[in-house]
Amino acid sequence: MAKVVVAGGGIAGIACANALQAKGIAVEVRDRGRVIGGRMASRWIDARIVDSGASYFTVTSPEFAEVVDDWLARGMARPWTRRISMINGPGGTLAAAEPGPLRYAAPRGLRSLVADLASRAGVSVAQSAPITRITPGPFVDGEPADAVVLAMPDPQALRHLDEAFTEERALVADRSWSPTLALLAGWSHRCWAPMDGAFVRDDDTIEWIADDGRRRGDNAPVLVAHSTAGFARPRLAEPPAAGPALIASLRRLLAIPEQPRWVHVQRWTFARPDRPHEQPFHLSDNRIGLAGDGWGRPKIENAWLSGTGLGRAIAERLR
């Protein structure tokens, strides 16, 4: 039986593994984290799950819609909002929300959707098991594989590719990603103007705010804010130290009169590709596959499509 090693336990890596297993191909999924999810990260704080990574997902493709319909039917996902507000400038006020695409959220956190995809397909993931080096063969840390998938940001993929992979390295080299710091904060009660989420323009500190209680559907007084890349870059080494400045900006932007009851700041080094690839994935003649958020527009739906498409392409190659 053919064997494929998938490095990366985000939605692209799990979707790729699902597609491969559906074609009867053995898959070994390895992830560097303690839990799967990738950019769909959620954290348990104050007896509640809070989404700290991606904020929501949208649906445009019929194939992904089938997956989402199943999540909706089982209560795994929920429609969140079509209206996202806007705050213009550091002293701007919360503008009326304009209608847009329907955004979906997950009552148990977005990470639960990745875990659901893996469990329902019977895909097991080795946690805290990062790969080190891929060499021609291909070999993963000296072990042979029929194909290898790197479902991760370009800078991380580059670290694992041997210098002999000139084509693959050229594709992921010089592909910078912007960081962010995710601020998670909880109050004793709701003390800001009603809104679902807000994009922030022309502020040096914060670019996005989500009301996590309205997003999750339990109305908890919890906000999540993502910093600008410029604010995050010099503070990645010590995220908690950025907490006071982020809280001050969040309170200013939403006119919140009180300090939060609890605060957590999480580093997200590779939050967004500065220059995404135009194609949805890449499969080289060396049987090295590249997929994920950097392939196509960085959306959860596109990451799923990227991994699914790559898995099917590898299965066809190995026939």
Side-chain angles (χ1 to χ4, degrees):
M1 180 183 291
K3 174 187 172 182
V4 177
V5 175
V6 175
I11 192 168
I14 298 304
C16 184
N18 287 3
L20 288 163
Q21 284 201 170
K23 297 294 185 179
I25 295 174
V27 184
E28 177 186 342
V29 183
R30 293 171 57 177
D31 189 66
R32 64 195 295 268
R34 290 176 294 175
V35 293
I36 64 174
R39 71 183 289 114
M40 296 168 70
S42 306
R43 178 174 288 272
W44 189 266
I45 300 180
D46 197 36
R48 184 180 177 279
I49 287 291
V50 184
D51 282 317
S52 57
S55 297
Y56 55 80
F57 63 91
T58 55
V59 182
T60 58
S61 71
E63 191 171 17
F64 187 59
E66 291 183 9
V67 176
V68 175
D69 286 344
D70 177 63
W71 284 336
L72 292 170
R74 292 186 291 116
M76 297 293 299
R78 65 183 296 269
W80 174 31
T81 185
R82 290 185 182 273
R83 294 182 176 273
I84 297 296
S85 302
M86 185 70 68
I87 301 175
N88 291 302
T93 57
L94 195 67
E98 295 293 332
L102 179 59
R103 281 91 169 177
Y104 293 86
R108 303 173 200 169
L110 288 175
R111 192 186 70 80
S112 69
L113 302 181
V114 184
D116 181 70
L117 285 177
S119 64
R120 285 175 69 82
V123 171
S124 61
V125 182
Q127 302 297 158
S128 301
I131 67 169
T132 302
R133 200 71 173 169
I134 303 171
T135 51
F139 290 86
V140 179
D141 298 334
E143 296 293 325
D146 292 287
V148 181
V149 171
L150 293 173
M152 60 185 64
D154 296 316
Q156 291 179 323
L158 184 63
R159 298 172 191 166
H160 300 304
L161 289 166
D162 188 85
E163 285 75 9
F165 293 117
T166 55
E167 173 201 343
E168 296 86 348
R169 287 178 63 88
L171 283 171
V172 296
D174 300 321
R175 293 272 178 172
S176 61
W177 285 54
S178 292
T180 193
L181 294 177
L183 169 71
L184 289 59
W187 279 258
S188 59
H189 63 282
R190 306 179 70 80
C191 49
W192 52 86
M195 60 106 196
D196 290 315
F199 295 113
V200 183
R201 290 178 177 170
D202 302 322
D203 186 79
D204 292 335
T205 307
I206 290 176
E207 64 179 14
W208 161 253
I209 304 168
D211 187 319
D212 198 61
R214 291 170 69 108
R215 175 169 61 183
R216 291 262 322 280
D218 62 359
N219 218 38
V222 176
L223 294 173
V224 175
H226 290 174
S227 78
T228 63
F231 179 86
R233 284 192 183 96
R235 297 171 174 86
L236 292 175
E238 195 175 352
L246 287 167
I247 285 295
S249 294
L250 180 60
R251 291 182 62 198
R252 166 176 50 81
L253 291 166
L254 294 184
I256 300 175
E258 303 175 14
Q259 287 285 358
R261 187 167 57 84
W262 57 262
V263 172
H264 176 79
V265 181
Q266 184 165 318
R267 174 179 55 236
W268 194 1
T269 305
F270 302 112
R272 182 176 57 252
D274 296 332
R275 187 165 54 96
H277 299 271
E278 293 184 3
Q279 60 268 47
F281 62 85
H282 181 76
L283 177 59
S284 72
D285 292 339
N286 295 312
R287 301 192 303 283
I288 303 298
L290 303 166
D293 301 322
W295 297 82
R297 291 183 61 194
K299 298 167 52 180
I300 287 175
E301 176 180 28
N302 287 346
W304 182 88
L305 291 169
S306 173
T308 300
L310 176 57
R312 292 169 178 167
I314 293 173
E316 184 67 23
R317 179 77 61 87
L318 297 180
R319 286 180 60 180

